[in-house]
Amino acid sequence: MPPADSLHAPPLSTLPFELIVEILWRLPVKFLLQLRCVCKSWNSLISSDPKFAKKHLSGSSRFLVLSFMNPSHQFILRACPLPSLFNTLTPIATQLQYPLNKRNHFDLIVGSCDGILCLAIDQSCALLWNPSIRKFKKSPSLENQRQLGSYTIYGFGYDHFTDSYKVVAVFCYECDSGGATVYKTLVKVHTLGTNYWRRIQEFPSGVPFDESGKFVSGTVNWLASATSSSSWVIVSLDLGKESYQELLQPDYGGVTVLTLTLGVLRDCLCILSHSDTFSDVWLMKDYGNKESWTKLFSVPYMGNPDSYPYTKALHISEDDQVLLEFQSRLVVYNSRDGTFKLPEIQSINSWVVPDVYVESLISPCS
């Protein structure tokens, strides 16, 4: 029998639902998925409320995802919390359950937006996958006629005008023009929630040669070769208007720039401009405004100056350490004291392809 005084105790007070929401959106996805079974209202909030998913996204943790082939030639994906790459030399990565049974050697991560990873599958379609909630969806086939020398470059991002996610595929192919071989493009857009690709205006300036477009401020951006010279241009596609513009590059200050790499840092478009002994890190702080290009710092090359430049700028910490990819290795450069460290992620000893994503509840299937 319970104590006599407990029989007359007042019932426990119930928190207002608004306060429960304020608590829940601060929790990691892993815990939220477990809490769906508490009651119907929690399940509905966590599983199908788009406003809650967007609110949760604002406080989500960032991860580095690494794709690689293991010695048995199996495609492996692992995720590592970004802070651990700056705070320890041996960060631990957890394996992600890739949703497809087979993976082609040429498949690659295009990029991520709001927790959804976009992967190019065998140059014929795209896979949209949220590893946090283990949901995925494949796009329809592009149905482009493959030919020798042709290739497809993708981009992925969010169109806030229509509140939709879009995949852009730029199909580049060779054709004859007066006895000379030139490249032409065929550009298609797939909107999540539809079952088709739409053709839009052709790529305006030469052909893109990045691995994938970079999503910033409602646009997808590619580095492209100019049509009449060997110079580079930045081509931007507005996902809402589905129209292009060319972005002006920074004034490199007399430095001889050998190559460029596009990226995204602090939600801004980033350029790594490579000279013979160092790479400058530039941010476009006000998207579309040439005058807002700001050089953050120069990163000297590691080892032999004749080696390849840094291939990706992945993340900048609050104390100005930058995470870079260098010859398939991860490098952390401390801009304040000019030092390097090379994190060694446990159980990964092969060529890796890194990218950054955030935890989210946003489903690619909706």
Side-chain angles (χ1 to χ4, degrees), residues 55-94:
K55 188 175 181 66
H56 178 270
L57 185 64
S58 65
S60 291
S61 301
R62 291 180 181 265
F63 288 80
L64 185 74
V65 60
L66 301 152
S67 61
F68 61 97
M69 304 292 285
N70 69 9
S72 302
H73 300 286
Q74 296 173 311
F75 180 54
I76 305 296
L77 283 156
R78 289 189 178 159
C80 181
L82 268 175
S84 67
L85 291 157
F86 298 98
N87 300 331
T88 178
L89 287 176
T90 56
I92 298 174
T94 57

Side-chain angles (χ1 to χ4, degrees), residues 98 210 319:
Y98 189 59
D210 281 334
D319 59 352

